[in-house]
Amino acid sequence: MGVLFFIITSCKNKPTCQQGSFGQTWSTSLLKAASEEIDSIFKLPLERKLGIPRKTGLPQGYSGGHAERFTKNLTWNETFTFDYYENDAEPLVVDHFKSVLGQDFECSGWVYQKYCQAMWKLSGVLFELLAVCLGVDRKHYKKFFEDGYSIMRLNFYPPCNNSALTLGTSPHYDPSSITILLQERVEGLEVFSNNKWQTVRPRPDALVIIIGDTFMASSNGIYKSCLHRAVVNGERERRSLAFFVTPKADKVVRPPQDLICREGTRLYPDFTWSQLLGFTQKHHRVDAATFPSFVNWLSSSKNLLSPL
Ligand SMILES: C=C1C[C@]23C[C@H]1CC[C@H]2[C@]1(C)CCC[C@@](C)(C(=O)O)[C@H]1[C@@H]3C(=O)O
Ligand SMILES: O=C(O)CCC(=O)C(=O)O
Ligand SMILES: [Fe+2]
């Protein structure tokens, strides 16, 4: 069984952490600011939130339990999602916040601009770490993902005193490559490991790194995508931030050649992120069976980029 998820902590009690053990440029204060800023969006009046522009077939925008997409198994959460592209010239997240939420959201935009920049840098370090653990060229994955982007998701979970009837986020594997997840103080994240759901205890100074389907395929199945969910809390509001790292939309996802030679066989066909994203938005709600269903769909719908 490959790595499912792991937890990394920021530099110990340093106000700004330039280069910590992972070479990351994030700190507990940055995580705290990003957690606290979530309410600036979700405490808006409902009509304001529903007025946030949303394009059908894309995860970006505001949603309440995905009620605009699904008719059953609605989740007990509100989400706000936007894309992050690394761009040294323009603070694109700030521009996005001002355009979809208004000029008075410039400061919130800067909080998430800085947060996403730090998470993007961290993802590069994580890809090197994962490459080293796989025994492939240290820079392989960092180079593969460097012209990619990220889907940034803010999750807000209101208290729910009937946890038997609903979930915050249903059981699923993230379709993306790796997810950098920040839970603030209220627990709720559970991973399915050793045949049972296990709580991942929140730590305000820690990030949870979750392996997704795209990285599982890029590692020829050596790393396994991690089944996880979010349960609701009876008394307390819960917040989390998920930074889904994804390749450039039209880039072909396949393991490095030396890994294929070493393994001898390919577990998954070539695909693009654009195909997988489109599948999750148009054909199959992300759940515990997304990736096998996607692979079948690829083969049956003659969308295979190349035979296995
Ligand atoms: C490709 C994607 C689909 C989701 C957003 C991105 C990456 C994670 C996916 C998601 C968050 C996984 C849990 C279920 C989901 C429906 C959700 O709760 O929002 C997923 C997203 C989606 O389909 O919009
Ligand atoms: O809120 C959480 O802890 C998990 C959320 C999650 O898995 C997701 O947004 O993909
Ligand atoms: Fe997830």
Side-chain angles (χ1 to χ4, degrees), residues 132-163:
V132 168
C133 296
L134 274 167
V136 301
D137 166 25
R138 177 188 181 103
K139 297 293 184 190
H140 173 82
Y141 293 115
K142 183 175 180 174
K143 281 187 203 144
F144 180 82
F145 285 98
E146 66 188 359
D147 58 353
Y149 70 104
S150 184
I151 296 171
M152 178 72 212
R153 156 71 55 88
L154 307 180
N155 290 308
F156 177 79
Y157 303 95
C160 171
N161 52 21
N162 216 327
S163 53

Side-chain angles (χ1 to χ4, degrees), residues 153 155 157 169 172 174 181 183 189 228 230 238 240 242 244:
R153 156 71 55 88
N155 290 308
Y157 303 95
T169 300
H172 67 280
D174 289 341
L181 187 81
Q183 296 188 86
L189 174 64
H228 59 287
R238 181 175 179 264
S240 69
F244 304 105

Side-chain angles (χ1 to χ4, degrees), residues 59 66 69-70 77 151 153 169 172 174-176 244 273 277 280-281 285-286:
H66 302 302
R69 286 171 63 190
F70 309 130
N77 70 338
I151 296 171
R153 156 71 55 88
T169 300
H172 67 280
D174 289 341
S176 40
F244 304 105
W273 170 247
L277 176 60
T280 69
Q281 301 302 298
R285 175 177 182 172
V286 172

Side-chain angles (χ1 to χ4, degrees), residues 77-193:
N77 70 338
E78 294 180 69
T79 62
F80 178 67
T81 309
F82 56 93
D83 286 346
Y84 171 74
Y85 288 84
E86 190 183 37
N87 180 314
D88 296 335
E90 272 297 308
L92 298 174
V93 172
V94 177
D95 298 344
H96 179 73
F97 269 61
K98 289 195 292 185
S99 93
V100 302
L101 290 163
Q103 288 294 335
D104 48 341
F105 274 81
E106 180 168 7
C107 292
S108 301
W110 275 111
V111 170
Y112 294 113
Q113 179 76 43
K114 293 295 180 195
Y115 183 81
C116 289
Q117 281 168 208
M119 294 303 114
W120 186 258
K121 282 189 173 51
L122 173 59
S123 68
V125 177
L126 292 169
F127 285 130
E128 286 195 51
L129 178 73
L130 291 165
V132 168
C133 296
L134 274 167
V136 301
D137 166 25
R138 177 188 181 103
K139 297 293 184 190
H140 173 82
Y141 293 115
K142 183 175 180 174
K143 281 187 203 144
F144 180 82
F145 285 98
E146 66 188 359
D147 58 353
Y149 70 104
S150 184
I151 296 171
M152 178 72 212
R153 156 71 55 88
L154 307 180
N155 290 308
F156 177 79
Y157 303 95
C160 171
N161 52 21
N162 216 327
S163 53
L165 292 180
T166 185
L167 283 165
T169 300
S170 314
H172 67 280
Y173 298 93
D174 289 341
S176 40
S177 65
I178 57 173
T179 304
I180 303 176
L181 187 81
L182 171 60
Q183 296 188 86
E184 43 114 68
R185 295 183 185 285
V186 179
E187 68 183 42
L189 174 64
E190 296 184 345
V191 294
F192 194 74
S193 176

